[in-house]
């Protein structure tokens, strides 16, 4: 099954995609994680992407399209995968459809994670991320045992540049302008399902499982 998870930044797509991987072994492809790992490894791709990401802008389409094409062609994705953070606009959605069509495949389902902007601002500004393993914590909802170290690997916890208040506003504006049109795109293809992502991660996981397994909209 090929699944697209989309929604505003901070809506919990990454958490659910990781859960699908750990519980159902459905491979998880996150363009945000791939780009952050390229930055951490100091690759030319990372160096090119960093300034866009720090400012909350989208990285150029050709860069992320190439990243996804390379991964989906690898053997680990042959039984299906979950895309988290891609596509981010209509051009990327068309590129994905074309890329899959050439390989005799297609997106099976696109799931929209709905959360109002006010909740997202609260979620993102309190978020802390491990520099090493990418584990995420929240100052109020999922506090780490130590304010500065990751519970899972002990490395430093930071506030991502793009989780700063001014950058969050910009990311939300870009989401509404560029990513939200995917709602109509996938609705037209009768692949759209949506869920209320304000609920607890456990409740969202149940809703996601229903969205993937049933015809319920
Ligand atoms: P995320 O972790 O998905 O919130 O992504 C973090 C940042 O990575 C975004 O704000 C963009 O700068 C960049 N990024 C991730 N995915 C894409 C994409 N599909 N297209 C363009 N930029 C992306």
């Amino acid at each position: 099954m090929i699944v697209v998870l989309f929604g505003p930044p901070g809506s919990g797509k990454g958490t659910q995609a990781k859960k699908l991987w750990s519980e159902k072994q459905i491979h998880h492809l996150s363009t945000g994680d791939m780009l952050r790992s390229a930055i951490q490894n100091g690759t030319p791709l990372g160096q090119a992407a960093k300034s866009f990401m720090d400012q909350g802008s989208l990285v150029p389409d050709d860069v992320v399209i190439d990243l996804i094409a390379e991964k989906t062609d690898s053997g680990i994705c042959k039984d299906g995968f979950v895309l988290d953070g891609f596509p981010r606009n209509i051009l990327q959605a068309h590129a994905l459809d074309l890329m899959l069509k050439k390989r005799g495949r297609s997106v099976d389902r696109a799931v929209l994670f709905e959360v109002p902007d006010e909740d997202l601002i609260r979620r993102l500004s309190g978020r802390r991320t491990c520099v090493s393993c990418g584990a995420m914590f929240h100052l109020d909802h999922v506090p780490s045992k130590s304010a500065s170290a990751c519970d899972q690997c002990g490395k430093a916890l930071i506030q991502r540049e793009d989780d700063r208040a001014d950058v969050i506003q910009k990311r939300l504006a870009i989401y509404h302008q560029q990513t939200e049109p995917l709602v109509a795109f996938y609705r037209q293809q009768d692949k759209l399902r949506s869920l209320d992502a304000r609920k607890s991660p456990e409740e969202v996981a149940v809703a996601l499982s229903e969205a993937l397994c049933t015809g319920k909209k």
Side-chain angles (χ1 to χ4, degrees):
M1 187 171 206
I2 299 179
V3 178
V4 168
L5 302 185
F6 74 110
S11 56
K13 310 176 294 290
T15 304
Q16 296 299 330
K18 285 180 184 123
K19 223 168 145 59
L20 282 174
W21 165 240
S22 64
E23 291 172 9
K24 301 193 176 148
Q25 283 71 57
I26 306 179
H27 207 79
H28 168 210
L29 298 180
S30 154
T31 37
D33 284 354
M34 290 179 214
L35 292 166
R36 278 184 289 278
S37 139
I39 292 175
Q40 216 187 343
N41 295 327
T43 66
L45 166 69
Q47 282 160 16
K50 187 172 185 330
S51 61
F52 292 102
M53 292 175 74
D54 285 351
Q55 289 166 29
S57 307
L58 293 186
V59 169
D61 292 322
D62 52 343
V63 173
V64 284
I65 291 168
D66 286 352
L67 269 180
I68 288 292
E70 194 186 310
K71 292 282 178 187
T72 52
D73 276 343
S74 71
I76 46 173
C77 289
K78 69 176 180 358
D79 295 329
F81 50 89
V82 172
L83 288 165
D84 155 21
F86 183 92
R88 217 53 169 230
N89 57 33
I90 295 288
L91 189 147
Q92 293 180 15
H94 280 298
L96 174 65
D97 279 358
L98 190 66
M99 186 191 305
L100 293 173
K101 194 173 172 194
K102 282 186 191 156
R103 291 151 179 88
R105 307 175 86 179
S106 61
V107 169
D108 295 291
R109 189 125 320 160
V111 183
L112 169 65
F113 282 51
E114 293 184 297
V115 184
D117 283 6
E118 327 58 280
D119 296 42
L120 293 166
I121 292 165
R122 264 197 306 276
R123 280 188 185 189
L124 288 168
S125 54
R127 190 156 83 168
R128 295 295 178 268
T129 309
C130 174
V131 286
S132 177
C133 71
M136 279 197 257
F137 301 88
H138 192 280
L139 295 181
D140 304 323
H141 314 304
V142 195
S144 50
K145 291 187 191 115
S146 144
S148 57
C150 173
D151 287 0
Q152 290 176 24
C153 73
K155 296 278 165 47
L157 289 181
I158 53 153
Q159 179 174 42
R160 276 169 36 179
E161 274 300 306
D162 58 352
D163 283 344
R164 287 191 352 245
D166 53 329
V167 185
I168 293 170
Q169 294 289 0
K170 183 166 173 193
R171 292 170 70 200
L172 286 173
I174 291 178
Y175 171 77
H176 291 303
Q177 280 162 12
Q178 300 206 32
T179 312
E180 225 161 43
L182 295 178
V183 173
F185 181 86
Y186 286 117
R187 183 176 287 137
Q188 238 167 23
Q189 298 188 5
D190 200 23
K191 292 179 177 168
L192 182 75
R193 302 289 182 271
S194 56
L195 54 79
D196 180 355
R198 285 172 304 179
K199 295 185 172 163
S200 71
E202 293 73 25
E203 289 169 305
V204 173
V206 173
L208 177 58
S209 181
E210 280 174 12
L212 297 183
C213 296
T214 69
K216 208 170 95 179
K217 295 205 182 176

